[in-house]
Amino acid sequence: MRFCRQFLFAAAAWLVTNTAVAVDLEKGKEINGTCAACHGDQGAGGKKGEYPRLAGQRAAYLERQLKSFRARTRINIPMFPYTQERELSDEDIKDVSAYLAGIELSNRMPTYTGKEDALTRLLMAEKVMIIPRAEGDLANGEAIYQKKCAACHGKSGKGRGMFPVLVGQYTSYLKRQADLYLKGDRPHDEEGVVGVLNTLKEQDIQDILAYLTSIQEPSE
Ligand code: HEC
Ligand code: HEC
């Protein structure tokens, strides 16, 4: 009987702790105030890809990257101070990641009626993010992407679970990451030393990046 009661207490305590861990989007938005200086209010990134887009990225992936920055398994000098435990706890990481993952940016030009005022037009434009087309052989890019990347990053580049969205991300940012992977400075999918990117020619990577910019707006 006594044991039973202790067990119930323990179970209740567990519930309280774990309920408190539920994501708090308001808190996430507040934390994003710090991130906005570089990644923008809407998480659209900036300076042509120096700061990656975070809006609409997979929450599980965002969390993992923030933890990697904190642990320095992925080196990010500008961000390192912001990811230290006193700045960003595990709970904060969950909240800000969920908040960013939930920001939807459109991949279509806004259709103005001509009746909006300047501020409304500005707000409409802020919700749109279209990556300029990159040059490359689209057919080759598509063939390689669908054969070697889609299993993890999704057929339409939207990622899934811990696998990041690639479509709608800055081309220059993706290219920089591909270079880091190739040099072995950032681990990709590999269990040994050689990952899938190392099996490609440089032009193939460019073609894949071009293909990704061509499938932003799904054809109807
Ligand atoms: C001082 C500028 C700066 C601030 C502030 C900043 N970041 Fe970053 N962040 C960067 C840079 C630069 C990169 C790209 C690093 C690279 O090229 O590998 C980056 C990359 C990231 C990535 C990896 C994206 C990906 O696709 O892999 C995540 C996630 C991220 N930042 C989240 C955040 C969050 C959340 C905050 C706020 C708590 C934040 N950042 C604040 C500069 C900043
Ligand atoms: C076996 C699964 C898998 C396959 C196949 C795969 N990837 Fe990835 N990719 C990942 C994972 C996991 C990450 C995140 C790694 C990390 O945590 O840093 C990633 C990250 C990336 C990133 C960085 C995204 C960012 O926001 O920083 C790029 C670029 C990328 N992959 C390109 C490719 C390309 C191009 C291919 C096909 C040639 C490919 N990947 C195939 C698993 C995969």
Side-chain angles (χ1 to χ4, degrees):
M1 194 60 207
R2 191 181 163 76
F3 169 81
C4 190
R5 197 182 298 148
Q6 268 179 357
F7 175 78
L8 279 178
F9 270 119
W14 183 88
L15 261 179
V16 169
T17 332
N18 286 279
T19 320
V21 169
V23 288
D24 180 343
L25 293 177
E26 272 307 309
K27 180 86 188 301
K29 184 174 182 180
E30 194 184 297
I31 297 166
N32 189 49
T34 326
C35 321
C38 294
H39 294 282
D41 274 342
Q42 302 288 328
K47 289 214 190 144
K48 299 202 162 83
E50 181 181 338
Y51 306 117
R53 169 188 186 160
L54 305 175
Q57 184 54 274
R58 302 265 153 204
Y61 171 76
L62 294 172
E63 283 180 29
R64 219 171 101 111
Q65 298 313 304
L66 288 166
K67 289 183 179 163
S68 309
F69 293 147
R70 196 168 68 187
R72 294 202 185 207
T73 46
R74 178 175 171 193
I75 302 296
N76 184 337
I77 294 163
M79 270 190 62
F80 183 67
Y82 300 93
T83 56
Q84 288 313 281
E85 184 65 39
R86 64 175 190 287
E87 298 279 348
L88 213 59
S89 64
D90 283 358
E91 209 175 317
D92 290 347
I93 286 184
K94 257 200 174 337
D95 292 343
V96 76
S97 298
Y99 174 71
L100 288 163
I103 300 179
E104 274 182 52
L105 299 178
S106 166
N107 50 18
R108 287 165 208 264
M109 278 305 207
T111 35
Y112 301 115
T113 62
K115 291 196 184 114
E116 301 85 358
D117 58 23
L119 181 63
T120 311
R121 279 205 302 275
L122 193 73
L123 291 175
M124 283 167 83
E126 261 186 8
K127 287 278 183 193
V128 175
M129 183 164 174
I130 302 169
I131 302 297
R133 288 288 188 110
E135 271 185 48
D137 179 338
L138 298 182
N140 185 46
E142 175 169 15
I144 300 175
Y145 179 84
Q146 294 303 339
K147 185 160 166 233
K148 297 201 163 176
C149 319
C152 295
H153 294 285
K155 275 192 178 336
S156 49
K158 299 271 166 57
R160 66 184 164 87
M162 59 171 278
F163 302 120
V165 178
L166 299 179
V167 152
Q169 182 59 277
Y170 295 93
T171 303
S172 65
Y173 170 76
L174 294 176
K175 175 82 175 64
R176 198 162 73 242
Q177 301 312 308
D179 291 343
L180 290 172
Y181 288 137
L182 291 173
K183 281 194 291 175
D185 287 347
R186 186 182 165 191
H188 185 246
D189 60 306
E190 58 273 43
E191 273 160 21
V193 187
V194 176
V196 61
L197 289 164
N198 299 72
T199 64
L200 304 177
K201 298 194 215 71
E202 202 179 324
Q203 188 57 45
D204 292 338
I205 293 180
Q206 180 59 38
D207 293 345
I208 291 172
L209 296 178
Y211 169 65
L212 289 170
T213 62
S214 78
I215 56 168
Q216 290 174 84
E217 199 174 323
S219 49
E220 274 108 322

